[in-house]
Amino acid sequence: MQKLFKSSHNAAGALLVALGLCQATPVIASETWHWHGFVAQGLMRSADSNFVNNDGAISAELTEFGLNSTWKLSNTVRLAGQLMYLDGGNRFQQGGRIDYLFLNWTAINDMDWQLDLYAGRYKNNHWLYSATRDVAITRPLIVLPQSVYFDAFRDIAVGSDGLAVTSTHNLNFGELELNWSLGATPIPKEQSQRVISTFINGKTEQDFVHQFSVFLRPAQSKSQWGISLLDSDFNYRRVANDIFADGDFTVQRVMANWRYSEQDWELSSEVFQERVSVYGFYAPGTERTQFGWGAYLLGSYNLSAQSTLYLSHDHFFANKDDKRGYLLPQQSGGLIPAYFGYQRDTALGLSHNIQPNLRLKMEYHWNTGTGRLGPNVVPDTVVNRSRHHELWAVQLMYWF
C-alpha cells in the first residue's frame, strides 16, 4: 500500500509549473484551460505559546501564495492542481508544496446523479472546510478551529496520493452526497517534528488513510448534515543514536457536522471522537490507546455587503476520560503539566472587502490549555509554560 501511493514530487512539480496553477477570478482562460492565483500576507503574535514562534515576538510569517488551474481534456476528463507556498512560522513547514494534482473523470452526469472519480493527489472533501482551508480567501478565519483543523497536520489532511470517488444524488427528500477515498501522504522530517517531537531523527511515513463521508441537504431546508469516518496508520523508524524506538500509530476518527445558512448569517459545527493508539515509539513493547474528543461552533454575520463578523468557540480533550489532564503529570513523572491535556479557544474575527479582489482579515483568539499546540506526541513544555495564551492575526489578501 505504501509504495502504491508514493508520488514523484519532481515530475508533479514540473507539470504544475507548466500548467501555471491558480485560484480566484480568471486572468487567462479559454474553453479548455482556466488558471487563477492569490497572495496573502499578514502579521501575527502569540506571546505565551509556540504556535507562531518560540520567542513570542510579532511575526510576519503569515505568507500564502497559490496558483491553481484546471485543464479540460475532454467533456468528461479534466486535470486540476494547485501549487502553494506557505510561511507560517511553527505552524507549517516553510516552502512550496503541491496541495493537489489529479485527473478527474465524470463518469455519470445527468439530472439526478453525478459520479466523479479522481486519481492522483486528490483533495480531502470529507470535512466542512477541508477542501477550502488551503486558500486564504475561502477560509472563514485565518486560524481555523484547531480541534479539527490542527495546523501542524495541515499538509497531511489537505490531500492524499491515491484514489477518490464522489457521488451526488438528487432524491425526493433532498440531495445526498457520498465521498470515498484511499491514499497516503509523504511526510518530510521537518513536518513530522512539528507533529510528533522536535527530538526525532528517524523517518515517519503514512501507510494509508481511508475515509468515507455522507452529506445530506434536505429539500426545502437551509441545513446540511454530515458524518465522516477516518482510519489511518503511520509508522516511525528510528536511526542510530535515536532516543525513540521504532513505532506504529493508528488514528481513527468519527465526526458529525452541521451547517445552517440564512441570507446574512450562518452557523456551522463539527464534533468528533478520535482513537489514537501508539505501539512502541516511547520504548519497545509500549502500547497506549486513548480516545480524544473535540467540537467547535462557528458563526458568521454579514454586517454589510463588504464586512463579515465571525465568532467561534472550540473545545478539545486529548483524553475524554481525563478532561482536565490530571493523569499527564502522573504518567510523565511530573514533566508534562495537566493543561497539555486540553485546549479551549474563543475567537472573534472581522473580514472586510476593500476592493472586489482585496480583503483584510483581523482576528483575536483567547486560549486556555495547550493540547492543540504542536508537537503533540511529545509536547514542548519549555516554551509552552502558560495555561493561558492569546493570539492575534491580521492578513491582507489579494486574488487574481
Side-chain angles (χ1 to χ4, degrees):
M1 181 71 71
Q2 183 179 331
K3 292 182 179 179
L4 176 63
F5 294 115
K6 284 187 176 178
S7 63
S8 171
H9 292 282
N10 292 337
L15 180 55
L16 281 172
V17 172
L19 289 174
L21 303 179
C22 309
Q23 166 113 10
T25 308
V27 178
I28 296 178
S30 66
E31 290 186 8
T32 60
W33 182 39
H34 297 269
W35 72 275
H36 314 272
F38 65 92
V39 60
Q41 177 60 54
L43 300 173
M44 65 191 315
R45 186 190 186 199
S46 182
D48 298 310
S49 81
N50 71 341
F51 186 73
V52 178
N53 48 37
N54 291 345
D55 58 13
I58 296 175
S59 174
E61 293 177 303
L62 188 55
T63 306
E64 302 175 59
F65 174 69
L67 297 170
N68 68 52
S69 179
T70 300
W71 184 14
K72 187 177 179 181
L73 302 177
S74 72
N75 289 334
T76 60
V77 179
R78 68 185 179 105
L79 176 67
Q82 177 166 285
L83 183 65
M84 172 71 76
Y85 172 84
L86 284 179
D87 184 6
N90 288 339
R91 301 162 63 207
F92 314 120
Q93 179 178 343
Q94 180 184 359
R97 68 261 286 143
I98 300 169
D99 277 341
Y100 59 89
L101 179 63
F102 58 79
L103 276 173
N104 167 213
W105 174 40
T106 303
I108 300 173
N109 187 11
D110 57 33
M111 292 285 291
D112 298 318
W113 185 20
Q114 181 168 328
L115 178 65
D116 285 280
L117 289 81
Y118 304 87
R121 180 163 296 176
Y122 58 82
K123 296 196 74 173
N124 180 0
N125 293 310
H126 300 282
W127 314 342
L128 284 184
Y129 301 108
S130 58
T132 56
R133 68 182 295 190
D134 56 319
V135 178
I137 61 174
T138 56
R139 288 195 307 269
L141 293 169
I142 299 171
V143 178
L144 289 172
Q146 293 296 288
S147 64
V148 176
Y149 301 96
F150 184 34
D151 276 347
F153 218 71
R154 184 254 186 211
D155 290 342
I156 302 173
V158 163
S160 300
D161 299 337
L163 302 172
V165 178
T166 296
S167 180
T168 304
H169 304 260
N170 291 316
L171 306 170
N172 292 333
F173 55 82
E175 183 179 82
L176 184 67
E177 179 183 327
L178 305 174
N179 299 288
W180 171 90
S181 64
L182 177 65
T185 304
I187 305 176
K189 180 180 177 180
E190 182 179 342
Q191 185 178 5
S192 62
Q193 289 176 331
R194 295 171 188 270
V195 175
I196 299 175
S197 170
T198 55
F199 301 109
I200 63 171
N201 293 309
K203 185 177 183 181
T204 308
E205 292 183 326
Q206 184 178 47
D207 300 318
F208 70 89
V209 56
H210 190 189
Q211 296 195 75
F212 176 77
S213 59
V214 180
F215 295 93
L216 174 62
R217 305 173 187 97
Q220 310 302 319
S221 174
K222 299 176 182 179
S223 293
Q224 172 185 282
W225 305 84
I227 189 167
S228 65
L229 308 174
L230 179 148
D231 182 23
S232 183
D233 280 356
F234 301 82
N235 71 79
Y236 176 78
R237 296 298 173 255
R238 69 186 304 273
V239 295
N241 301 319
D242 205 327
I243 63 174
F244 298 105
D246 289 346
D248 295 287
F249 304 83
T250 294
V251 179
Q252 296 173 323
R253 176 184 287 189
V254 179
M255 183 159 62
N257 59 69
W258 165 78
R259 175 183 282 153
Y260 181 85
S261 301
E262 287 284 357
Q263 182 175 352
D264 290 324
W265 60 274
E266 180 177 284
L267 287 174
S268 62
S269 180
E270 291 179 277
V271 56
F272 73 89
Q273 179 168 291
E274 186 173 73
R275 172 180 176 264
V276 179
S277 296
V278 182
Y279 307 96
F281 184 70
Y282 299 105
T286 300
E287 291 188 17
R288 191 184 79 180
T289 295
Q290 67 183 34
F291 290 85
W293 182 89
Y296 72 84
L297 179 64
L298 171 64
S300 65
Y301 180 76
N302 295 329
L303 299 173
S304 67
Q306 291 77 36
S307 300
T308 303
L309 183 69
Y310 296 94
L311 178 64
S312 76
H313 184 70
D314 185 25
H315 220 134
F316 170 76
F317 301 113
N319 185 348
K320 70 181 184 68
D321 298 320
D322 181 32
K323 293 183 174 64
R324 295 185 180 274
Y326 290 149
L327 293 177
L328 284 176
Q330 302 175 27
Q331 295 169 344
S332 64
L335 295 177
I336 302 177
Y339 56 77
F340 279 90
Y342 60 89
Q343 185 164 322
R344 298 187 299 272
D345 175 22
T346 299
L348 179 65
L350 179 65
S351 174
H352 179 71
N353 289 338
I354 303 171
Q355 296 291 336
N357 59 344
L358 183 65
R359 179 176 300 167
L360 179 67
K361 279 191 176 184
M362 301 172 286
E363 64 193 53
Y364 204 98
H365 295 252
W366 294 266
N367 287 278
T368 300
T370 58
R372 252 342 192 201
L373 297 177
N376 64 348
V377 177
V378 181
D380 185 344
T381 58
V382 175
V383 178
N384 300 315
R385 293 175 292 179
S386 175
R387 185 166 69 97
H388 299 283
H389 50 103
E390 299 178 5
L391 164 74
W392 63 260
V394 57
Q395 191 175 38
L396 186 66
M397 48 198 69
Y398 172 75
W399 56 98
F400 50 88

